[in-house]
Amino acid sequence: MNGMTGSLHGKVAIVTGGGSGIGRATALMFGAEGADVVIADIDAAAATRVAEEISAQGGRAVAVKADVSAEADCVGVVAAAVETFGGLHVLFNNAGIIRRADAIGTSVDEWDRVMAVNVRSVFLMCKHAVPAMTDGGSIVNTGSGWGLKGGGNAISYCASKAAVVNMTRALAIDHAAAGIRVNSVNPGDTDTPMLREEARQLSEEWAAFEADAADRPMGRAGRPDEIARAVLFLASDAASYITGTALVVDGGGLA
């Protein structure tokens, strides 16, 4: 990738939900910046494709099939980083799902699954990654603009992302003395498979849904690589005095 500086040279990074969308873009960027990358995804084939892309660019990567709402899988992802590459310095907790419905239309099972994937996974990955970060490190969690303000027909998603934003602050306080920074990146609507899944769940035509997503000062939805650049900044030493923050990357939508 043009403009890369090797800002993660010598670092080992984990990206959850790394098989597509923002996770894929970030994993590729991490690899281009010199990191050894563990791509964790419930879709093993997608994770493998991303690992192969990084390898084709001259980097090092390994794919791990994982449901990060399950503790044993989180343990396995961290072990893959340590055993394959010798340590862990960066964790990007990006895996997430969405259910577009209000409280009445959301089943208990749907609520529990959103919370498991979006919230419990962050807790579990941090629980097992922090002890492996023996030389300090950086954790970046994917929140959302809807973790900082409300949104319609997305009660479980809004609640889960608000939890991620405040859990990030608590983690930052708890682990600063160990040299571990913890921040959240909070995208607005971004052109990913999840955005198209939202349109499907709401039974909306993609063109109309896309136009609604573009209704913000910059007049368009974000691109995965634009969110990845923000994650890279927070993961790198360029953000050495930043912890506990919620960085909004949304083309002015929240403003």
Side-chain angles (χ1 to χ4, degrees):
M1 294 183 181
N2 292 333
M4 293 300 158
T5 62
S7 62
L8 296 183
H9 179 73
K11 306 292 187 182
V12 178
I14 291 171
V15 178
T16 73
S20 64
I22 293 168
R24 173 183 174 273
T26 303
L28 291 172
M29 198 169 288
F30 280 3
E33 283 289 333
D36 297 327
V37 188
V38 176
I39 300 109
D41 203 288
I42 200 164
D43 184 339
T48 298
R49 286 193 294 271
V50 176
E52 290 171 346
E53 287 183 81
I54 292 171
S55 296
Q57 293 177 346
R60 298 201 304 172
V62 63
V64 179
K65 177 179 172 59
D67 175 353
V68 287
S69 70
E71 185 170 17
D73 284 14
C74 294
V75 170
V77 172
V78 174
V82 174
E83 293 169 7
T84 306
F85 298 123
L88 179 61
H89 307 93
V90 176
L91 168 61
F92 180 34
N93 282 312
N94 173 70
I97 59 174
I98 193 166
R99 167 61 177 155
R100 291 300 304 268
D102 63 11
I104 297 167
T106 301
S107 71
V108 172
D109 285 346
E110 288 169 334
W111 173 274
D112 287 347
R113 185 58 182 161
V114 170
M115 290 296 168
V117 175
N118 292 7
V119 183
R120 186 169 68 186
S121 70
V122 176
F123 157 66
L124 288 172
M125 286 301 303
C126 290
K127 176 180 179 65
H128 295 288
V130 165
M133 292 180 163
T134 55
D135 297 321
S138 175
I139 297 172
V140 184
N141 301 322
T142 298
S144 170
W146 279 358
L148 300 165
K149 65 181 286 291
N153 290 311
I155 186 170
S156 59
Y157 184 80
C158 291
S160 73
K161 291 304 184 178
V164 169
V165 169
N166 216 34
M167 179 166 38
T168 297
R169 298 182 180 117
L171 287 159
I173 293 166
D174 288 342
H175 303 295
I180 297 170
R181 298 181 298 101
V182 191
N183 295 287
S184 66
V185 63
N186 295 271
D189 288 334
T190 306
D191 189 2
T192 64
M194 181 182 286
L195 196 66
R196 286 170 167 74
E197 170 63 14
E198 288 186 64
R200 187 195 67 77
Q201 289 183 19
L202 293 168
S203 299
E204 292 187 13
E205 292 293 331
W206 171 244
F209 192 85
E210 185 179 31
D212 186 60
D215 185 19
R216 59 193 64 242
M218 289 188 70
R220 62 176 177 83
R223 302 189 308 270
D225 67 288
E226 292 176 312
I227 314 304
R229 289 192 191 98
V231 179
L232 174 63
F233 166 68
L234 291 173
S236 74
D237 290 342
S240 61
Y241 197 53
I242 300 175
T243 196
T245 199
L247 177 60
V248 178
V249 189
D250 72 345
L254 201 62

